[in-house]
Amino acid sequence: MTLNILMLSTLFPDMSRPNFGVFVERQARELASRAEAHVTVIAPIGMPPWPLSNAARYAPLRALPRKERWKDMTVYRPTFPIIPKFGGRTNVYSMTRAILPLVRRLHEAKPFDVIDASFFFPDGPVAQRLSRALGIPYSVKARGADIHYWGARSGTRKMVKRAADRAAGLLAVSAAMKRSMARMGIEDDKIRVHYTGVDLDRFELADRDAAKTALGFEGPVVLCVGALIPRKGQELLVRALSHLPDVTLLMAGQGQYRRTLEKLAEELGVDRRIGYLGSVPHDRLPRIYAAADVMALVSASEGLANAWVEALACGTPIVISDVGGARELVDRPEAGRIVEREPEAIAAGIQALLDNPPDRETVRETALRFTWGTNGDVLLEHLQAVAHGETPPA
């Protein structure tokens, strides 16, 4: 019997933002590829009131089709009103009001069996309201900032907790994330660890020297993949570069924090050894991973970063902070180093890997357990249990 799944996700790529929520999309595609699952994606888009909605950053979003076939899935992109920088908790109510009529129409045409919310906020509380309106169960997945940020804020913590309490099942991107949820008072027994996946055919070993030559890089290269925001810790990498002569630091990602990083690099005299790659299309990342000697990402918080797993799959060791599922991933010396979030420790971790490069095949072995096939198997089993009123496997 086919399970009819409503996937709700505010993290989902579109034509204007091809990298936005790309891992949620890949998970959705894996699930939709199963004969036992029929997946409909609703990816709501927040739009501010006029005249802010006319700003250049919102024009591409306004132009998106409200319904489309996206990589063999039907995706709806209804809009809902937001107040930039101040919305927060009000987004739950405005999103629910905006999408409920659409959800009702779809449910009447072909009843959904279960709601799968891809992120804990605002998706989780919205899924809770849709569940009540339709009379069907729901599940929510915790990925990182949705718990560490929204689950800690006074204005949203109760909403996150309520959504967790009323869900029929919960997923966590790592065992560490599951522990964080339990510390919030969320019932431990209903949380299942659901690791991310990586395309092992695309993210594979390649000749590092050839990759460097093709991209015009020379000498030791450290790569950081992540949005340019304070939480990701690029400032610490810039400071660490002062202790790493002849090393080039590449940053793949975009964000307004770039101006701060550029200014700091100039002050430290390392600006000529930093390259800003901007938002790199996901299918072009493997060749950049291949050219890097080390991938460093020293975030203040994470669930289990996809960039960690992708780097390892390409045979590139990682230097990461002790957050989220770091210790679940770096389970052997060849995988890399877990370091304190301070420049000297970061530099030491990077230098150790540059001085004694681990065998790349051994590095890659660390990532072999993170397949999209396994990810899809676990998700389908979990949602089937939720839909049938059974206790999902822990």
Side-chain angles (χ1 to χ4, degrees):
M1 181 177 178
T2 301
L3 192 69
N4 193 22
I5 302 161
L6 168 59
M7 181 171 289
L8 176 66
S9 181
T10 51
L11 287 174
F12 206 86
D14 54 56
M15 289 182 291
S16 69
R17 303 172 298 177
N19 285 356
F20 184 66
V22 66
F23 305 105
V24 174
E25 178 222 53
R26 184 61 184 83
Q27 177 175 291
R29 285 166 49 205
E30 182 65 35
L31 182 62
S33 72
R34 312 302 174 92
E36 306 95 325
H38 179 270
V39 179
T40 299
V41 179
I42 295 185
I45 297 173
M47 294 291 289
W50 186 90
L52 290 176
S53 59
N54 285 336
R57 62 176 293 194
Y58 292 106
L61 298 179
R62 287 203 316 273
L64 293 174
R66 295 298 161 237
K67 176 185 177 182
E68 66 177 317
R69 290 294 292 174
W70 179 273
K71 299 184 179 180
D72 297 326
M73 293 181 292
T74 299
V75 178
Y76 293 86
R77 304 184 190 277
T79 60
F80 66 97
I82 60 170
I83 304 173
K85 298 182 180 180
F86 299 100
R89 61 181 299 164
T90 63
N91 289 347
V92 170
Y93 304 108
S94 61
M95 187 193 304
T96 303
R97 285 196 303 270
I99 72 173
L100 184 55
L102 167 64
V103 172
R104 285 191 187 279
R105 289 197 303 272
L106 296 174
H107 186 61
E108 289 171 1
K110 184 177 181 179
F112 293 111
D113 298 304
V114 63
I115 301 170
D116 175 33
S118 299
F119 200 62
F120 236 104
F121 193 87
D123 307 22
V126 173
Q128 173 200 331
R129 287 157 174 77
L130 297 179
S131 168
R132 185 173 58 209
L134 303 183
I136 60 174
Y138 71 97
S139 170
V140 192
K141 183 167 184 176
R143 294 179 178 272
D146 48 354
I147 292 295
H148 296 144
Y149 181 74
W150 296 108
R153 298 192 69 187
S154 59
T156 54
R157 180 183 175 90
K158 288 183 179 179
M159 300 173 77
V160 168
K161 178 67 164 53
R162 188 181 302 118
D165 290 343
R166 297 182 182 178
L170 299 170
L171 296 169
V173 75
S174 67
M177 177 59 64
K178 179 176 178 176
R179 291 192 293 271
S180 294
M181 296 165 72
R183 285 194 291 271
M184 284 182 61
I186 297 172
E187 186 180 344
D188 180 88
D189 290 345
K190 69 193 293 187
I191 308 169
R192 181 172 190 174
V193 175
H194 184 221
Y195 286 125
T196 188
V198 62
D199 188 337
L200 294 170
D201 292 326
R202 175 175 293 174
F203 292 87
E204 59 181 351
L205 297 177
D207 185 89
R208 181 165 290 152
D209 291 335
K212 285 185 180 182
T213 299
L215 295 172
F217 303 150
E218 295 181 357
V221 172
V222 174
L223 171 67
C224 177
V225 178
L228 302 186
I229 55 178
R231 179 172 64 85
K232 292 293 186 179
Q234 288 96 347
E235 177 185 343
L236 296 171
L237 295 179
V238 172
R239 294 186 183 279
L241 202 59
S242 298
H243 306 283
L244 296 165
D246 302 322
V247 169
T248 297
L249 172 63
L250 300 177
M251 298 190 196
Q254 63 183 6
Q256 294 184 346
Y257 196 49
R258 173 172 170 171
R259 289 190 285 271
T260 300
L261 297 172
E262 289 174 332
K263 182 178 179 181
L264 174 63
E266 289 177 6
E267 293 173 354
L268 296 175
V270 297
D271 51 300
R272 293 180 179 275
R273 294 193 285 124
I274 298 179
Y276 300 92
L277 306 180
S279 181
V280 178
H282 194 243
D283 59 359
R284 295 182 184 176
L285 277 174
R287 65 176 184 174
I288 300 176
Y289 283 120
D293 297 276
V294 176
M295 202 291 289
L297 184 63
V298 288
S299 307
S301 67
E302 289 285 356
L304 193 149
N306 293 84
W308 297 348
V309 186
E310 289 174 346
L312 294 173
C314 292
T316 302
I318 59 179
V319 171
I320 60 177
S321 43
D322 193 4
V323 294
R327 294 185 180 275
E328 297 164 56
L329 184 61
V330 181
D331 61 354
R332 65 201 72 184
E334 293 86 355
R337 300 289 185 274
I338 296 175
V339 299
E340 296 292 328
R341 297 186 75 243
E342 59 92 21
E344 289 79 9
I346 295 167
I350 292 172
Q351 192 64 60
L353 293 172
L354 295 177
D355 290 343
N356 295 287
D359 176 72
R360 297 182 67 205
E361 289 280 1
T362 307
V363 174
R364 178 174 166 82
E365 287 175 5
T366 312
L368 297 184
R369 56 201 155 119
F370 296 91
T371 68
W372 283 117
T374 299
N375 177 280
D377 289 343
V378 172
L379 182 56
L380 179 60
E381 181 185 33
H382 173 81
L383 293 177
Q384 286 172 331
V386 169
H388 296 149
E390 303 167 359
T391 301

